[in-house]
Amino acid sequence: MRVLIAEDEINLAQGLCFNLEQEGLEVHSVISGEEALAQYAAYDLLVLDIGLPGIDGFEVLRRIREHDERFPVIVLTARAAEDDRVAGLALGADDYITKPFSLKEFLLRVRGKLRQVGWYTGSGRHGPVKVGAALFDLDRQTVTREGREERTTVREQALVQYFLDHPNQALSRDDLLREVWGYTAGTASRTPDTFVARLRKLVEVDPANPRHIVSVRGKGYLFSPDGTG
Ligand code: CA
């Protein structure tokens, strides 16, 4: 699984990265709110400092929640004031750790959060699956395109599984939000579009003219395993 850390104290960020990597996670860090917003969707969990240069962690969290009600975020902050704590939770932080914190506590919270990430497990399909230009390895959670291997997030993996289990049928955003993200019906979110855009870059030979993950006007998406569109 992939974790993004947004923290401008470089020593702290490096220490957290090192310790999460020891847990077998793929970890990257950024030092600004802008970078966190641009990159978080490619990760399974965001560890978010509140006191960041530019847009602060509260604003980052608010903007993430506009698009995605459930993306896992653990907030780190030096502000222990009760009103900040309440503001953070009201904006939808999953968890809240006040600095200074113990490394042990931090690791427990991250592990707990990643365990909770609910996702579509589907048919229990295993092993490598070729879709268009990409080879997904569903056991190792990797995708290879043109010889370059990278990790997929839990949610990307879940979306691929769901498409594979429901080929050649129009799937609405509601279907995807309910089945892949576990949202209740009627939740308006553009989250699937973001994920589909990224999957198309992996799968489609020409992402501007998709043949495998096709848009169906007024409905959503249709997955075509053999690319007939
Ligand atoms: Ca800071």
Side-chain angles (χ1 to χ4, degrees):
M1 295 214 250
R2 288 159 54 93
V3 177
L4 181 66
I5 296 176
E7 169 61 75
D8 60 327
E9 289 169 51
I10 302 296
N11 288 340
L12 177 59
Q14 284 176 347
L16 298 180
C17 282
F18 175 80
N19 282 282
L20 291 177
E21 281 165 1
Q22 299 299 301
E23 303 269 306
L25 298 165
E26 184 174 333
V27 193
H28 294 104
S29 65
V30 294
I31 58 167
S32 73
E34 285 82 356
E35 291 170 298
L37 274 177
Q39 296 182 31
Y40 80 92
Y43 291 82
D44 295 306
L45 171 71
L46 172 64
V47 175
L48 177 64
D49 182 33
I50 290 298
L52 291 172
I55 55 174
D56 71 8
F58 283 133
E59 179 62 14
V60 171
L61 184 56
R62 194 186 66 74
R63 293 195 199 174
I64 289 174
R65 286 290 173 259
E66 283 179 356
H67 300 286
D68 191 330
E69 290 173 7
R70 291 204 178 182
F71 187 87
V73 178
I74 295 178
V75 163
L76 298 181
T77 181
R79 307 182 199 176
E82 196 64 28
D83 56 346
D84 277 353
R85 191 177 290 261
V86 170
L89 293 172
L91 282 168
D94 292 277
D95 207 343
Y96 202 94
I97 306 180
T98 304
K99 297 175 182 173
F101 52 85
S102 77
L103 185 60
K104 193 174 164 198
E105 179 189 9
F106 173 75
L107 293 175
L108 279 173
R109 301 270 189 109
V110 169
R111 264 189 234 128
K113 193 68 239 164
L114 289 173
R115 255 201 312 274
Q116 282 170 19
V117 175
W119 54 292
Y120 176 79
T121 50
S123 57
R125 191 187 296 264
H126 290 292
V129 182
K130 189 161 168 40
V131 182
L135 182 71
F136 291 92
D137 189 319
L138 300 176
D139 294 320
R140 294 176 56 238
Q141 292 195 5
T142 59
V143 59
T144 306
R145 174 170 175 145
E146 288 160 10
R148 274 193 55 225
E149 182 183 274
E150 56 182 291
R151 293 218 199 163
T152 50
T153 67
V154 169
R155 286 187 177 186
E156 286 166 352
Q157 179 91 357
L159 184 57
V160 170
Q161 289 260 12
Y162 190 72
F163 278 142
L164 288 168
D165 287 348
H166 300 84
N168 303 311
Q169 43 186 297
L171 303 167
S172 69
R173 285 185 190 83
D174 276 354
D175 292 336
L176 298 176
L177 285 168
R178 192 179 57 249
E179 300 298 331
V180 178
W181 277 267
Y183 284 16
T184 50
T187 309
S189 170
R190 309 295 289 181
T191 298
D193 301 344
T194 310
F195 277 72
V196 163
R198 180 167 144 79
L199 275 190
R200 278 178 173 156
K201 283 187 194 153
L202 293 167
V203 161
E204 305 288 353
V205 173
D206 176 8
N209 294 293
R211 300 182 61 82
H212 291 278
I213 307 173
V214 184
S215 296
V216 182
R217 188 178 290 274
K219 180 69 178 159
Y221 297 106
L222 180 144
F223 173 65
S224 170
D226 48 12
T228 51

